[in-house]
Amino acid sequence: MRLCVCLVLLSFILCASADKSPIRRGAEFARDAVGGAWDMYKAYRDMREANYKNADKYFHARGNYDAAQRGPGGAWAAKVISDAREKWQSDVSGRGAEDTRADQEANAWGRSGGDPNRYRPAGLPTKY
C-alpha cells in the first residue's frame, strides 16, 4: 500500500514538474500556425492596399517576421505559405527565378527575426 501511495505521489510530482504535455504543445503549435497564417494574410492585404512600387519584399519580410514571432507554429505556417506562393508564382505567373529568389530571401530574413524595414522602400506610408 505504501508503495502505491509513493508511486502516485511521485507521478503527481513528475506531472506537475513536466514542462508541457504533448497535447498542450500540439495545441500551442496549431494556435501559432493559425495566427501565423493570419499574419501572412494581413501583410498580403496591406500590400494590395498600399499598391506601392517596389514594396513587395518589405511585405514578404513583414508577414514572415510577424508570423515567426508567434513561435514555431507561426514560423512553420509562414514557410509553408511563402513556399507555396513562390512555387505558384514561378510556375504560373512567370515572373522569373530572380524575383522568386529575392522574395524567398526576404521571406527567410523575416522568419529569422530580421528587421523587415531592411526592405522598406522610401516613401511607403508609415501606416504600413
Side-chain angles (χ1 to χ4, degrees):
M1 178 68 174
R2 285 185 182 170
L3 180 60
C4 287
V5 171
C6 288
L7 287 174
V8 168
L9 289 175
L10 181 61
S11 295
F12 281 127
I13 292 168
L14 288 174
C15 288
S17 67
D19 187 20
K20 293 180 185 170
S21 73
I23 293 172
R24 186 168 179 183
R25 283 194 310 264
E28 286 178 0
F29 185 90
R31 184 191 70 227
D32 292 347
V34 169
W38 178 251
D39 290 333
M40 295 292 287
Y41 170 73
K42 286 190 308 186
Y44 176 75
R45 184 188 63 206
D46 287 348
M47 180 178 70
R48 300 284 295 187
E49 179 184 302
N51 195 24
Y52 200 83
K53 188 174 182 177
N54 297 323
D56 66 324
K57 306 303 182 269
Y58 165 73
F59 288 107
H60 279 268
R62 195 193 86 189
N64 278 271
Y65 176 84
D66 291 346
Q69 293 304 300
R70 293 182 179 272
W76 173 83
K79 179 158 179 46
V80 168
I81 291 168
S82 295
D83 289 349
R85 183 181 186 285
E86 293 308 319
K87 176 145 179 52
W88 176 86
Q89 183 176 322
S90 66
D91 291 349
V92 176
S93 74
R95 291 197 182 171
E98 183 59 29
D99 186 59
T100 295
R101 186 201 58 74
D103 286 350
Q104 287 289 42
E105 179 184 301
N107 294 336
W109 176 261
R111 267 195 313 275
S112 69
D115 184 3
N117 288 314
R118 172 183 183 181
Y119 296 97
R120 186 181 192 89
L124 182 67
T126 56
K127 173 183 177 182
Y128 305 109

